[in-house]
Amino acid sequence: MSLRTHELTLPLTEDTVRALRVGDLVYLTGEIFTTAGMPTHDRLLGCLDGVEELPFDLNGAALFHLGSLNEEAPDGSLRIVYINPTTSTRFNPHMPRLIPGLGLRATGGKGGLSAECARVMAEAGCVYLAFLGGGAEIITAGIKGVTGIGWPEMISHYRIARIEVERLGPLTVGIDAHGASIYDRTMEGAMGCRAAILAEMREARDA
């Protein structure tokens, strides 16, 4: 299968999302939303339950699991020094409700999401985009500026940041909107090799 590269403008439509396939490369231009906080995800679930209003309309948006080092100016504005992905599997309990409840078209970070999340993404029309772990310099180069902060009373990496980006990437489609997951395929391939590897180890031990 040939590698496909997509230059996409946010917000994404369902048709655009469903045209992506596992392994495709993506560059994003527009506005994304980011947070690295478990309490933030709990609070988002509270919004779905009517506890409080959302700080932003996230319908059709891209919400990524990204942490950052920030500098706050006296006027309250924020400059991102660098940004880097956090592990998405921490949010497996949250995402099956948040993806359809918020109307997300994309999420992402590093490490992927569970099979249950992938099933929900296929139903809702959402993709998981994988960021390069340790690639802060490459990722940060795509940031043009912070355009909004949600829940500023929280510590900085728990806040929801609305960020303008230009050709943010390359990002890899780790889970597509049809339920295919590069993480599941990798695990299946590894398990398929397991028996042969163990047999070779036994032969080497007994030789």
Side-chain angles (χ1 to χ4, degrees):
M1 182 182 298
S2 59
L3 183 68
R4 303 190 306 169
T5 299
H6 307 264
E7 300 275 352
L8 302 181
T9 301
L10 297 152
L12 303 175
T13 67
E14 182 174 354
D15 287 345
T16 296
V17 164
R18 292 200 181 277
L20 303 175
R21 293 294 185 271
V22 161
D24 286 357
L25 296 182
V26 171
Y27 291 88
L28 296 177
T29 295
E31 286 187 329
I32 65 171
F33 296 86
T34 71
T35 183
M38 187 77 72
T40 317
H41 284 66
D42 291 338
R43 196 167 174 177
L44 285 169
L45 288 177
C47 292
L48 296 185
D49 293 332
V51 175
E52 62 179 313
E53 295 293 321
L54 287 165
F56 300 108
D57 180 4
L58 297 175
N59 187 47
L63 175 64
F64 294 127
H65 303 138
L66 296 171
S68 60
L69 174 64
N70 307 315
E71 289 182 347
E72 194 161 354
D75 64 359
S77 64
L78 202 67
R79 184 181 77 86
I80 295 178
V81 180
Y82 72 80
I83 198 162
N84 215 32
T86 191
T87 303
S88 296
T89 51
R90 298 189 296 126
F91 308 112
N92 277 333
H94 301 81
M95 300 310 291
R97 282 192 65 202
L98 291 181
I99 290 167
L102 298 175
L104 300 179
R105 287 290 172 224
T107 188
K110 67 178 181 180
L113 288 167
S114 67
E116 171 64 10
C117 292
R119 181 188 65 78
V120 171
M121 292 168 71
E123 293 174 354
C126 178
V127 293
Y128 180 92
L129 300 178
F131 287 72
L132 176 63
E137 185 173 356
I138 296 172
I139 299 167
T140 306
I143 294 173
K144 296 189 70 177
V146 178
T147 59
I149 293 292
W151 296 328
E153 70 277 12
M154 302 183 83
I155 62 175
S156 62
H157 63 282
Y158 285 1
R159 300 168 184 170
I160 296 179
R162 186 178 62 200
I163 302 171
E164 184 180 2
V165 299
E166 184 174 1
R167 294 200 81 238
L168 177 70
L171 311 177
T172 304
V173 178
I175 304 172
D176 66 25
H178 306 278
S181 170
I182 199 169
Y183 305 98
D184 290 347
R185 292 180 182 179
T186 301
M187 180 60 70
E188 290 167 3
M191 294 305 293
C193 296
R194 182 173 181 269
I197 293 171
L198 290 175
E200 290 179 9
M201 292 174 64
R202 282 192 294 268
E203 289 179 8
R205 180 195 62 197
D206 297 337

